[in-house]
């Protein structure tokens, strides 16, 4: 009996050692991975059902380094880039993504869906961008058309941010004043989200090239931000509920090629220098007119505010490009989904002039 028991103990010991070796072997390929990186990507793959979209069959494989998972790139053994655009991810963004402390770029955007509504190929089920807000090295975040929810609160934590694109989602709340701390920011695309409140007067975003929140639910007077964004080229604000005057600083935006303020409630004079900026010149995109038709923009969102259109005070004159030019045209620019824009002047209460 003693001999049998002894052999039994030796067998169990051998089995334990073999099992240990097998476990070590299976983990061997991932021992070089940063623990936080692997935890984060495992959570992302699990939450979004990677078995359905990972065509390389590398995600969640214990014998494959995360640096070799489809769409992932590393530097120095740390994950720095994740590109999974239009791949069919379906699930909420996991909080574990906050462990990607060396991440520089995250692109999980979808192509624009038909009719501009709903999600594209990737669907994050109304989850928020909260897992990203403390990633200090993140320079580019693109989550367009992914059914992203939540708010923009905490965005200032992404201190290296250069390109922030969340166009076409369900983000609510206000545009935080703290965005003004992101001095490296070049692209801020917030359009087609139910964002409310007013636009803050940002004074420190000197590198901004594109800034828009068109077809949101913004109100109040538009601030003179163009004086503080010297290299701005594109700025779309159509489809909101702005009141007051067209900002005079628009006429001093010497690099502005595309701008839109139609489908609002603006009044007051048209800044005379608007014809001297690229948007006001021939071939420019200068939609500041009185049109209110949403159909050409395919912008049938429940949060869009009712508007009466822009009616300007032309008693001091009408700039040439607003009489017959790029700011007053029946041409579609640059596509059929961006409507014409006809200037209307309203002197007093009833007298309306249309320049065609």
């Amino acid at each position: 009996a003693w001999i049998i028991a002894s052999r039994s103990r030796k067998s169990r010991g051998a089995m334990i050692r073999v099992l240990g070796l097998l476990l070590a072997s299976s983990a061997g390929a991932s021992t070089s991975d940063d623990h936080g990186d692997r935890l984060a990507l495992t959570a992302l793959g699990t939450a979004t059902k990677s078995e359905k979209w990972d065509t390389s069959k590398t995600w969640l494989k214990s014998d494959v380094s995360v640096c070799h998972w489809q769409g992932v790139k590393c530097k120095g053994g740390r994950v720095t880039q994740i590109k999974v655009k239009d791949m069919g991810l379906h699930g909420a963004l996991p909080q574990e993504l906050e462990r990607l402390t060396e991440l520089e770029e995250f692109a999980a955007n979808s192509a624009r869906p038909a009719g501009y509504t709903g999600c594209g190929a990737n669907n994050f089920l109304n989850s928020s961008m909260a897992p990203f807000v403390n990633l200090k090295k993140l320079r580019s975040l693109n989550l367009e058309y992914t059914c992203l929810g939540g708010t923009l609160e905490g965005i200032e934590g992404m201190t290296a941010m250069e390109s922030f694109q969340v166009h076409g989602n369900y983000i609510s709340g206000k545009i935080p004043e703290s965005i003004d701390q992101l001095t490296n920011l070049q692209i801020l695309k917030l359009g087609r989200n139910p964002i409310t409140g007013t636009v803050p007067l940002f004074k420190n975003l000197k590198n901004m090239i594109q800034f828009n929140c068109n077809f949101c639910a913004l109100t109040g007077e538009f601030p003179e931000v163009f004086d503080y964004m010297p290299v701005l080229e594109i700025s779309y604000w159509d489809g909101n509920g702005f009141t007051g005057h067209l900002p005079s600083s628009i006429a001093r935006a010497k690099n502005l090629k595309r701008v839109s303020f139609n489908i609002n409630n603006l009044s007051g004079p048209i800044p005379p220098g608007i014809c001297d900026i690229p948007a006001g010149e021939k071939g420019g995109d200068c939609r500041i007119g009185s049109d209110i038709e949403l159909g050409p923009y395919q912008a049938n969102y429940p949060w869009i505010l009712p508007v009466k259109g822009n009616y300007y005070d032309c008693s001091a004159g009408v700039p040439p490009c607003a009489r017959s030019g790029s700011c007053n045209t029946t041409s579609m620019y640059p596509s059929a989904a961006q409507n014409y824009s006809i200037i209307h002047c309203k002197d007093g209460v009833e007298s309306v002039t249309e320049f065609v």
Side-chain angles (χ1 to χ4, degrees):
W2 180 86
I3 295 174
I4 294 174
S6 178
R7 287 178 178 175
S8 178
R9 282 193 292 271
K10 287 180 180 180
S11 298
R12 284 198 299 270
M15 289 176 63
I16 291 171
R17 286 194 297 274
V18 170
L19 180 59
L21 288 171
L22 287 172
L23 290 172
S25 175
S26 66
S30 63
T31 53
S32 61
D33 290 337
D34 176 80
H35 175 70
D37 287 352
R38 194 167 188 88
L39 180 67
L41 292 188
T42 298
L44 178 63
T46 302
T48 61
K49 304 175 180 64
S50 61
E51 70 277 6
K52 295 184 177 180
W53 53 261
D54 172 26
T55 57
S56 69
K57 304 303 178 185
T58 53
W59 278 70
L60 306 185
K61 298 295 184 182
S62 61
D63 59 343
V64 179
S65 169
V66 295
C67 297
H68 299 300
W69 290 8
Q70 186 174 7
V72 179
K73 288 188 178 181
C74 296
K75 290 180 184 177
R78 293 299 308 276
V79 173
T80 57
Q81 183 186 87
I82 301 172
K83 287 187 174 182
V84 286
K85 176 183 176 181
D86 271 330
M87 291 179 62
L89 282 71
H90 189 95
L93 291 169
Q95 191 60 38
E96 287 86 350
L97 291 172
E98 66 185 4
R99 303 290 292 270
L100 297 169
T101 54
E102 296 294 316
L103 188 65
E104 298 176 4
E105 180 180 4
F106 188 87
N109 51 305
S110 298
R112 186 178 66 207
Y116 285 82
T117 56
C119 314
N122 293 341
N123 183 348
F124 295 129
L125 302 181
N126 207 40
S127 58
S128 78
M129 64 167 198
F132 299 102
V133 297
N134 290 313
L135 297 183
K136 305 299 183 184
K137 296 188 178 182
L138 188 60
R139 296 183 294 104
S140 178
L141 181 65
N142 192 335
L143 295 168
E144 291 192 343
Y145 295 111
T146 57
C147 283
L148 189 72
T151 70
L152 297 172
E153 293 304 318
I155 187 175
E156 70 278 1
M158 296 181 279
T159 53
M161 186 57 62
E162 297 175 3
S163 177
F164 184 86
Q165 302 182 61
V166 293
H167 190 89
N169 284 297
Y170 299 96
I171 295 171
S172 58
K174 298 182 178 182
I175 300 177
E177 293 183 8
S178 57
I179 288 178
D180 210 24
Q181 300 173 28
L182 302 179
T183 55
N184 295 316
L185 203 56
Q186 298 176 30
I187 298 174
L188 181 59
K189 293 179 66 178
L190 308 175
R192 296 178 185 262
N193 280 289
I195 296 173
T196 57
T198 58
V199 178
L201 177 57
F202 297 126
K203 295 184 177 182
N204 297 311
L205 306 181
K206 308 296 185 184
N207 298 306
M208 190 75 81
I209 296 172
Q210 181 171 359
F211 178 29
N212 40 271
C213 193
N214 51 326
F215 300 108
C216 295
L218 298 166
T219 54
E221 294 191 18
F222 194 87
E224 299 288 354
V225 297
F226 299 109
D227 277 336
Y228 301 97
M229 299 180 182
V231 297
L232 189 67
E233 296 181 4
I234 302 171
S235 200
Y236 295 147
W237 300 95
D238 44 319
N240 282 288
F242 293 122
T243 54
H245 296 184
L246 192 66
S248 61
S249 58
I250 195 174
R252 298 185 287 276
K254 299 304 181 184
N255 291 293
L256 192 60
K257 300 174 182 177
R258 298 182 180 182
V259 65
S260 62
F261 276 98
N262 52 321
I263 316 179
N264 277 290
N265 302 304
L266 298 175
S267 58
I270 300 172
I274 196 169
C275 299
D276 299 326
I277 66 173
E281 296 174 350
K282 185 177 181 180
D285 182 7
C286 176
R287 285 171 283 131
I288 61 170
S290 304
D291 50 296
I292 59 173
E293 176 59 46
L294 298 171
Y297 294 89
Q298 299 177 20
N300 187 24
Y301 301 116
W303 58 80
I304 288 182
L305 303 171
V307 296
K308 64 180 182 180
N310 303 328
Y311 287 86
Y312 296 104
D313 177 2
C314 301
S315 58
V318 180
C321 62
R323 184 176 288 273
S324 61
S326 62
C327 296
N328 183 41
T329 177
T330 56
S331 299
M332 296 292 191
Y333 183 90
S335 71
Q338 293 187 320
N339 199 13
Y340 60 86
S341 186
I342 300 297
I343 298 291
H344 287 77
C345 295
K346 190 170 186 178
D347 300 319
V349 178
E350 299 295 338
S351 178
V352 176
T353 303
E354 176 180 299
F355 296 99
V356 292

